[in-house]
Amino acid sequence: MTPQVTLPRTQDIEAATTAQRELAAYLATGFETKLVQLVDSQGRLHPIQLPMAALQLLSEILSELADGNAVKIVPVHAELTTQEAADLLNVSRPYLVKLLETGKLAFHKTGKHRRIRFDDLMTYKQARDEASQSALDNLAAEAQELRMGYE
């Protein structure tokens, strides 16, 4: 069962903003120390070793929360349902199913259900994003050549 995703409350946004700034400042120092200390309600310190990748991910999560966005973490080895994949691509589920059925996006079946590997979805998304950016670059170049007032 996937956890319910909810938007952060005002106090969560404020706390995330402060924490993200402080964590970003720490990460900018380049120190390799990964020892973080948590303080419980009695003021006792609890040291915890964290991989640098976890601190960077935490910084990204805090940034999203500070912007008022809900956050959901998906393991990269995960297999997604068609709805989860559609949500990540910001497309409708029927459109995603068409991508699967036309072979534009790899999938496999688990019983009757289609499953998409997260890394396959991200590869497709990156290619789609690059194609979109290339098309925009071409349109901008063409507008410049035609002197359409976008200088």
Side-chain angles (χ1 to χ4, degrees):
M1 176 178 229
T2 58
Q4 184 174 347
V5 178
T6 58
L7 292 174
R9 299 170 301 171
T10 302
Q11 62 264 34
D12 296 333
I13 292 171
E14 292 168 2
T17 300
T18 301
Q20 196 279 331
R21 284 187 191 133
E22 291 177 14
L23 184 54
Y26 168 75
L27 292 173
T29 65
F31 293 139
E32 288 299 318
T33 304
K34 302 167 201 152
L35 183 63
V36 176
Q37 296 201 40
L38 303 177
V39 182
D40 65 23
S41 59
Q42 283 80 39
R44 293 180 299 222
L45 297 177
H46 302 273
I48 181 171
Q49 287 277 90
L50 290 177
M52 191 57 76
L55 290 174
Q56 290 165 337
L57 180 60
L58 179 58
S59 179
E60 291 177 35
I61 291 168
L62 290 169
S63 179
E64 291 298 325
L65 291 173
D67 288 342
N69 297 322
V71 177
K72 182 177 181 180
I73 298 174
V74 179
V76 295
H77 66 278
E79 291 183 344
L80 306 170
T81 65
T82 53
Q83 187 61 60
E84 290 169 331
D87 291 346
L88 284 171
L89 290 179
N90 199 26
V91 299
S92 70
R93 188 183 158 285
Y95 179 79
L96 181 96
V97 170
K98 281 184 190 176
L99 292 175
L100 300 177
E101 296 302 328
T102 59
K104 293 180 181 173
L105 181 55
F107 75 99
H108 69 275
K109 283 198 170 185
T110 303
K112 294 180 180 180
H113 304 283
R114 297 177 191 91
R115 295 289 183 257
I116 301 100
R117 288 177 34 98
F118 181 81
D119 56 344
D120 289 339
L121 184 70
M122 290 298 102
T123 299
Y124 172 82
K125 184 180 183 312
Q126 182 177 356
R128 183 191 70 174
D129 292 349
E130 288 171 0
S132 293
Q133 187 60 51
S134 177
L136 286 173
D137 291 344
N138 289 339
L139 285 172
E142 190 174 306
Q144 290 290 332
E145 288 175 20
L146 296 173
R147 298 178 188 257
M148 296 181 73
Y150 301 107
E151 297 181 47

